[in-house]
């Protein structure tokens, strides 16, 4: 995935990150913003080092919520897509429910989920699962319903059963669509977990941010934010790489181009 | 590698075939027959409905009675080769050849797949993905997949169109040998190909389309394209095709 310009993607990323940090520092110098509104990068770095153990512990919680939500949402989403594709009656009845469910902002559901599932991890995993479920279901179902007709004709000529067409042709053919859905899901998964933590929790990066904010520890709040962002980006690129390796026949542009597009 | 399994040839007759696109009948009340164990070729101008007629026999579109001589349905007893290669991009070439077996839950026969790949000049390419092959190679892989099915009836739609002249010539020889004894319907644009491989050669023309009386070249396929009799028939076919184009336009 080396760029045509000759600069490796990783190096380009580092340069952009360094540029952003420099811009941040310059803004603080130029405007003279008090540090409790916008701390300088150096102070945030200091907080990162000073509270490393605290940050690590809470990152563990949030990461677990995101990963569990991602796994559950992907599993439920793919299963729903397959069932809805296979059984027309299920599709007819479930599709409107699915669409309507998307009209309800997940954030509005957060208090309800905390009320039902408690302050622990369950309500955050449920939030992440909900937010991941729809993009995965919608993308996979769309892929399943747009199989190249020639392939299904070929399967018909080979006397294949409906199930084996689904398993050997339509499901693999829908994997690239599924992958796009999973990429979107991976990008939004942290939102679900953090919103859940804001509404009510006793650990996690979202909890830490609220807590630090109320105590005026703006540098710690920014440190938590930085860790969250780093985790989200790392997760996205890990999933992206995994998908590219798992689907070697799919010719597509690299992750950077997709984000820039 | 030849048809070692005892294939009992079946003849197929099609009655009252009809298919219309956007209200206009491509063909209507069309009757024709595929004699048992013979290759019937279909020529005609583009858009006359040759592919559609082949798809109708395969049960993929249109309406009409497709009757086999043994009164059993054709489903499960024909192999189909489309104009596009229809190779699955996520499978290797070898796995594409054994797709039928896996779709039916049978045990694939990789040795036979290898032998067929060798026959179509793709020896050693079984582990490649289709994307690594040229257009002509992909078409040969599709031909091998069709032969892999080992069915008494074979429906082929321009199987050799993407090949260079020499490869086409060689594959026609191989196909003639492997298709011997089967009931074959072959749609083609190439009059010489039809005369090399066909027992009966029809020209399809008009709207709604009709089939003319078949030309029946003497001798068994693959015929020698240098044979004066074949060249004379080619001239005759070209004349028919020119008037077919006028009748269809």
């Amino acid at each position: 995935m080396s760029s045509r310009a000759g600069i490796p993607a990783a190096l380009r990323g580092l340069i952009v990150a360094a540029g952003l940090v420099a811009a941040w520092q310059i803004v603080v110098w130029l405007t003279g913003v008090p540090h409790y509104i916008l701390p300088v990068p150096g102070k945030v770095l200091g907080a990162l080092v000073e509270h490393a153990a605290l940050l690590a512990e809470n990152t563990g919680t949030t990461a677990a919520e995101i990963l569990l939500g991602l796994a559950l949402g992907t599993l439920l989403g793919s299963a729903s897509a397959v069932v809805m594709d296979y059984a027309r009656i299920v599709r007819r009845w479930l599709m409107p429910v699915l669409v309507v469910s998307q009209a309800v902002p997940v954030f509005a559901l957060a208090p309800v989920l905390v009320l039902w599932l408690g302050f622990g991890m369950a309500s955050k995993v449920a939030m992440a699962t909900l937010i991941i479920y729809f993009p995965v279901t919608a993308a996979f179902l769309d892929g399943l319903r747009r199989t190249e007709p020639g392939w299904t004709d070929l399967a018909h000529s080979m006397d294949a059963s409906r199930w084996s067409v689904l398993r050997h042709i339509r499901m693999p053919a829908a994997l690239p669509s599924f992958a796009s859905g999973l990429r979107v899901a991976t990008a939004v998964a942290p939102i679900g977990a953090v919103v859940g933590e804001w509404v009510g929790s006793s650990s996690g990066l979202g909890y830490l941010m609220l807590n630090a904010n109320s105590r005026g520890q703006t540098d710690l709040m920014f440190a938590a934010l930085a860790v969250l962002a780093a985790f989200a980006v790392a997760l996205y690129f890990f999933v992206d790489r995994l998908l590219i390796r798992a689907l070697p026949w799919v010719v597509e542009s690299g992750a950077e181009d997709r984000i820039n597009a | 590698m030849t048809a070692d399994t005892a294939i009992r040839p079946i003849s197929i007759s099609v009655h009252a075939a009809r298919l219309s696109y956007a209200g206009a009948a491509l063909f209507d009340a069309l009757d024709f027959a595929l004699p048992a164990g013979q290759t019937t070729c279909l020529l005609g101008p583009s858009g006359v409905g040759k592919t559609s007629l082949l798809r109708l026999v395969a049960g993929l579109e249109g309406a009409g009675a497709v009757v086999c001589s043994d009164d059993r349905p054709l489903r499960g007893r024909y192999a189909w080769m489309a104009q596009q290669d229809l190779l699955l991009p996520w499978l290797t070439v070898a796995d594409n050849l054994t797709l039928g077996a896996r779709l039916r839950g049978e045990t694939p026969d990789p040795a036979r797949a290898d032998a067929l790949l060798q026959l179509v000049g793709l020896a050693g390419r079984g582990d490649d993905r289709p994307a690594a092959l040229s257009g002509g190679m992909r078409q040969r892989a599709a031909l091998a997949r069709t032969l892999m099915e080992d069915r008494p009836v074979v429906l082929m739609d321009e199987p050799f169109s993407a090949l260079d002249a020499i490869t086409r010539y060689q594959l026609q020889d191989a196909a003639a040998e492997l298709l011997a004894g089967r009931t074959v319907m072959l749609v083609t644009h190439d009059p010489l190909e039809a005369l090399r491989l066909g027992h009966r050669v029809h020209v399809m023309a008009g709207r709604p389309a009709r089939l003319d009386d078949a030309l029946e070249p003497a001798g068994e396929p693959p015929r020698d394209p240098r044979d004066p009799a074949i060249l004379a028939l080619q001239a005759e076919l070209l004349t028919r095709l020119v008037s077919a184009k006028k009748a269809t336009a």
Side-chain angles (χ1 to χ4, degrees):
Chain A
M1 193 118 5
S2 63
S3 78
R4 262 152 263 139
I7 303 171
L11 187 61
R12 233 172 23 216
L14 274 179
I15 292 171
V16 170
L20 285 174
V21 171
W24 171 5
Q25 181 77 53
I26 291 166
V27 165
V28 176
W29 277 339
L30 289 181
T31 59
V33 172
H35 67 86
Y36 55 84
I37 300 288
L38 182 61
V40 290
K43 278 210 73 160
V44 175
L45 194 65
L48 267 175
V49 175
E50 189 187 336
H51 302 288
L54 181 69
L55 283 164
E57 191 193 324
N58 287 287
T59 304
T61 308
T62 304
E65 290 161 3
I66 293 172
L67 293 177
L68 273 172
L70 199 56
L72 267 174
T74 306
L75 213 68
L76 288 173
S78 342
S80 306
V82 169
V83 170
M84 281 166 74
D85 175 75
Y86 201 67
R88 184 195 261 190
I89 182 133
V90 179
R91 182 166 71 245
R92 280 210 188 132
W93 286 90
L94 212 62
M95 203 58 189
V97 178
L98 210 64
V99 171
V100 168
S101 79
Q102 284 309 292
V104 180
V106 185
F107 312 105
L109 286 177
V112 181
L113 288 175
V114 172
L115 179 71
W116 289 345
L117 300 172
F119 288 88
M121 252 170 69
S123 54
K124 287 76 187 172
V125 172
M127 278 288 295
T129 305
L130 271 179
I131 214 169
I132 287 153
Y133 175 81
F134 187 76
V136 170
T137 310
F140 197 27
L141 185 61
D142 189 49
L144 286 171
R145 303 198 59 68
R146 282 192 296 132
T147 318
E148 153 76 48
W151 292 341
T152 38
D153 286 347
L154 181 69
H156 178 87
S157 81
M158 289 171 164
D159 206 21
S161 69
R162 219 176 138 222
W163 166 248
S164 84
V165 176
L166 180 66
R167 179 167 166 246
H168 290 288
I169 293 182
R170 301 186 49 228
M171 267 166 44
L175 282 180
S177 304
F178 167 78
S180 339
L182 188 55
R183 285 192 180 98
V184 172
T186 310
V188 297
I191 302 175
V194 170
V195 169
E197 287 174 0
W198 283 348
V199 172
S201 63
S202 50
S203 77
L205 287 172
Y207 160 81
L208 190 64
M209 284 172 73
L210 277 191
N211 217 355
N213 192 26
S214 62
R215 287 200 250 151
Q217 293 173 300
T218 319
D219 52 352
L220 179 57
M221 187 172 95
F222 270 81
L225 185 59
V227 171
L228 182 66
F231 177 80
V233 169
L235 180 68
Y236 181 86
F237 278 95
F238 174 74
V239 169
D240 186 58
R241 279 302 143 88
L242 202 71
L243 289 172
I244 287 173
R245 292 196 69 161
L247 312 176
W249 71 91
V250 182
V251 185
E252 57 186 345
S253 53
E256 311 95 274
D257 298 326
R258 262 198 310 280
I259 291 173
N260 295 343
Chain B
M1 229 30 255
T2 42
D4 43 20
T5 46
I7 297 168
R8 197 179 307 142
I10 39 179
S11 67
I12 296 170
S13 53
V14 177
H15 300 295
R18 66 167 281 118
L19 182 73
S20 45
Y21 274 124
L26 214 47
F27 43 82
D28 194 5
L30 182 71
D31 291 349
F32 84 112
L34 299 170
Q38 296 201 349
T39 297
T40 305
C41 295
L42 215 57
L43 288 155
S46 297
V48 75
K50 304 184 296 292
T51 294
S52 297
L53 189 56
L54 183 121
R55 289 175 59 84
L56 184 140
V57 175
L60 296 171
E61 64 179 301
V66 178
V67 181
C68 297
S69 51
D70 56 5
D71 282 326
R72 282 167 46 213
L74 183 58
R75 172 117 211 230
R77 296 197 289 165
Y78 72 93
W80 175 61
M81 183 175 171
Q83 277 173 33
Q84 317 94 301
D85 56 71
L86 298 180
L87 297 170
L88 300 177
W90 59 88
L91 294 181
T92 63
V93 172
D95 285 344
N96 264 291
L97 258 62
T98 53
L99 176 70
R102 260 170 300 124
L103 280 173
R104 291 184 295 271
E106 298 161 3
T107 317
D109 184 351
R112 203 172 115 75
D114 274 351
L116 277 169
L117 279 178
Q118 187 156 21
L119 192 88
V120 299
L122 289 175
R125 302 306 295 266
D127 291 333
D128 287 342
R129 285 227 166 74
L133 305 186
S134 71
M137 290 162 101
R138 293 168 62 104
Q139 206 169 22
R140 284 184 268 158
L143 175 67
R145 182 193 56 206
T146 310
L147 297 171
M148 187 78 195
E149 285 295 281
D150 198 18
R151 300 290 180 85
V153 177
V154 181
L155 309 173
M156 300 170 111
D157 199 350
E158 298 183 31
F160 309 116
S161 59
L163 304 173
D164 63 87
I166 296 155
T167 313
R168 187 186 309 182
Y169 184 80
Q170 290 167 338
L171 274 189
Q172 284 167 353
D173 284 345
E177 185 188 328
L178 285 161
L179 295 174
R182 295 170 211 260
T183 307
V184 180
M185 178 172 175
L186 177 73
V187 167
T188 177
H189 273 300
D190 179 355
L192 192 57
E193 180 171 284
L195 291 169
R196 286 203 75 207
L197 296 179
H199 295 90
R200 298 161 61 85
V201 180
H202 287 285
V203 173
M204 193 171 176
R207 187 148 292 162
R210 288 265 164 271
L211 295 184
D212 66 356
D213 291 329
L215 283 179
E216 297 185 29
E220 278 302 302
R223 298 188 190 84
D224 187 348
R226 283 154 298 199
D227 181 348
I230 294 298
L231 290 173
L233 281 177
Q234 189 186 8
E236 156 76 20
L237 258 186
L238 280 170
T239 314
R240 287 194 189 188
L241 281 169
V242 170
S243 54
K245 182 151 191 182
K246 284 189 195 127
T248 311

